[in-house]
Amino acid sequence: AQTVTQSQPEMSVQEAETVTLSCTYDTSESDYYLFWYKQPPSRQMILVIRQEAYKQQNATENRFSVNFQKAAKSFSLKISDSQLGDAAMYFCAYIANNNDMRFGAGTRLTVKP
Amino acid sequence: EPEVTQTPSHQVTQMGQEVILRCVPISNHLYFYWYRQILGQKVEFLVSFYNNEISEKSEIFDDQFSVERPDGSNFTLKIRSTKLEDSAMYFCASSEAPPPYGYTFGSGTRLTVV
């Protein structure tokens, strides 16, 4: 079964500091994509970053970067220079060669001023 | 940047009523999806749609649900006889390529069944 696990229900970070959100997944597929989505209180799902499994290089989008460890099936999100607007639920997600994107349970990130 | 647009943003309906949730996917996208998120729970796959037919559906997507692309631009989700447990955030998504390519989500429709 393809599952996504986020072991941190809640995390907090001081403004301007760095925080890392964890995600692990279970799959037997070799070709898949991994995602981090941000869900603010408005509950919109906003794509933060995407990683293709065949790429060894970790994806980076401005202050957001991932640590993709394919052998360990780990996909953590690092947020640098945290801002108040980063406060949200963050969901890790996985999709392989079917239509069913699997989501983790989410991590609620609080940013302290 | 192109967006997936969903309307309405919030809908309240009485139990047993039919409801139609509307989505306008990104114009050059060919693959369409509905997901839902019950408050406090995971985002769950409902259905995928390609080439004017359902390509995959989950166990949640029972006979009460249907999808349609009536006019080449809109993509709708119909719930025939709503139940209290259908209350959730419903997300439409679209993609220009098949899985495992990711997709763009709309901003969601909050459905409240009373």
Side-chain angles (χ1 to χ4, degrees):
Chain A
Q2 297 154 350
T3 59
V4 179
T5 303
Q6 293 179 248
S7 59
Q8 306 154 317
E10 296 185 359
M11 290 284 284
S12 69
V13 62
Q14 204 70 36
E15 195 176 3
E17 297 293 307
T18 295
V19 64
T20 299
L21 308 184
S22 301
C23 173
T24 59
Y25 59 95
D26 183 28
T27 184
S28 57
E29 302 284 344
S30 58
D31 187 17
Y32 53 88
Y33 281 56
L34 296 161
F35 307 85
W36 279 97
Y37 282 93
K38 172 185 177 181
Q39 189 179 48
S42 66
R43 296 190 72 187
Q44 183 177 357
M45 294 289 283
I46 302 167
L47 177 65
V48 174
I49 199 164
R50 177 172 71 192
Q51 175 81 42
E52 295 92 329
Y54 64 85
K55 288 188 178 179
Q56 292 189 338
Q57 187 172 6
N58 289 324
T60 299
E61 285 287 341
N62 301 313
R63 298 183 294 107
F64 299 87
S65 61
V66 298
N67 183 7
F68 174 47
Q69 301 288 327
K70 190 171 184 178
K73 296 179 183 174
S74 169
F75 182 62
S76 61
L77 174 70
K78 185 171 84 171
I79 307 174
S80 304
D81 186 26
S82 297
Q83 300 175 358
L84 295 177
D86 294 335
M89 281 289 284
Y90 285 82
F91 291 96
C92 178
Y94 158 101
I95 191 167
N97 291 310
N98 58 20
N99 294 293
D100 182 355
M101 183 177 279
R102 298 294 177 98
F103 288 80
T107 296
R108 182 176 303 280
L109 178 66
T110 303
V111 181
K112 298 177 181 178
Chain B
E1 188 168 329
E3 291 183 343
V4 175
T5 305
Q6 288 187 245
T7 55
S9 57
H10 189 193
Q11 178 145 6
V12 181
T13 189
Q14 289 207 323
M15 190 169 56
Q17 295 294 305
E18 175 183 286
V19 67
I20 297 176
L21 309 183
R22 291 184 166 79
C23 169
V24 179
I26 294 173
S27 61
N28 64 333
H29 285 190
L30 301 175
Y31 300 82
F32 314 109
Y33 310 88
W34 283 101
Y35 281 74
R36 80 170 185 190
Q37 184 186 30
I38 295 172
L39 185 63
Q41 297 187 23
K42 283 188 183 184
V43 180
E44 302 171 294
F45 170 73
L46 291 177
V47 67
S48 60
F49 191 86
Y50 170 70
N51 201 25
N52 282 321
E53 61 183 22
I54 291 173
S55 45
E56 196 166 336
K57 60 182 180 179
S58 71
E59 294 173 352
I60 303 167
F61 195 88
D62 61 23
D63 292 343
Q64 291 298 312
F65 291 89
S66 63
V67 288
E68 199 175 42
R69 194 148 189 257
D71 57 11
S73 61
N74 290 287
F75 179 52
T76 62
L77 174 69
K78 183 194 292 186
I79 309 174
R80 287 191 185 80
S81 178
T82 50
K83 302 187 280 283
L84 294 176
E85 54 265 37
D86 293 328
S87 295
M89 197 77 169
Y90 287 82
F91 293 101
C92 173
S94 70
S95 174
E96 60 187 305
Y101 198 82
Y103 30 81
T104 304
F105 282 91
S107 54
T109 293
R110 185 191 303 271
L111 177 65
T112 303
V113 182
V114 297

